């Protein structure tokens, strides 16, 4: 992982494991930490927290809001942009 947007939970040196099949069986929930395809830069994957569910769309935000590009900038995202759920991290 790179970047400061998820400090203090995740630091840039940490590695994460994602379950890319998790949301085939379960719906995303508020407070899930997810990997998302950036809606404006599809080649870029970002790590964010789901903070609101509005209909079938998700508001995602970085824990370190001063250093995060998230739904405050690009709006709600659809579930199709969620790559997977973060299930483990390693310092």
């Amino acid at each position: 992982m790179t970047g400061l947007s998820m400090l203090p939970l995740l630091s840039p040196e940490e590695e994460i494991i994602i379950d890319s099949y998790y949301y085939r069986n379960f719906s995303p929930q508020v407070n899930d930490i997810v990997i998302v395809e950036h809606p404006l830069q599809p080649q870029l994957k970002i790590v964010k927290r789901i903070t609101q569910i509005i209909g079938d769309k998700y508001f995602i935000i970085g824990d370190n809001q001063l250093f995060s590009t998230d739904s405050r900038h690009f709006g709600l995202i659809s579930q199709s942009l969620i790559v997977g759920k973060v299930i483990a991290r390693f310092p």
Side-chain angles (χ1 to χ4, degrees), residues 12-78:
E13 303 83 32
E14 287 185 284
E15 294 184 26
I16 56 176
I17 295 177
I18 65 166
D19 183 342
S20 57
Y21 297 101
Y22 187 85
Y23 294 120
R24 291 184 184 182
N25 299 312
F26 303 100
S27 296
Q29 300 295 311
V30 169
N31 285 321
D32 284 358
I33 306 297
V34 293
I35 301 290
V36 176
E37 184 179 293
H38 194 291
L40 305 177
Q41 301 174 52
Q43 74 285 0
L44 181 63
K45 305 297 184 271
I46 56 178
V47 181
K48 303 294 174 197
R49 180 184 303 274
I50 297 173
T51 59
Q52 292 181 17
I53 301 171
I54 302 166
D56 60 351
K57 302 282 185 173
Y58 302 90
F59 192 87
I60 58 170
I61 199 163
D63 287 355
N64 187 2
Q65 295 177 19
L66 290 176
F67 293 94
S68 183
T69 302
D70 48 43
S71 286
R72 294 170 300 154
H73 302 93
F74 49 69
L76 299 170
I77 63 158
S78 65

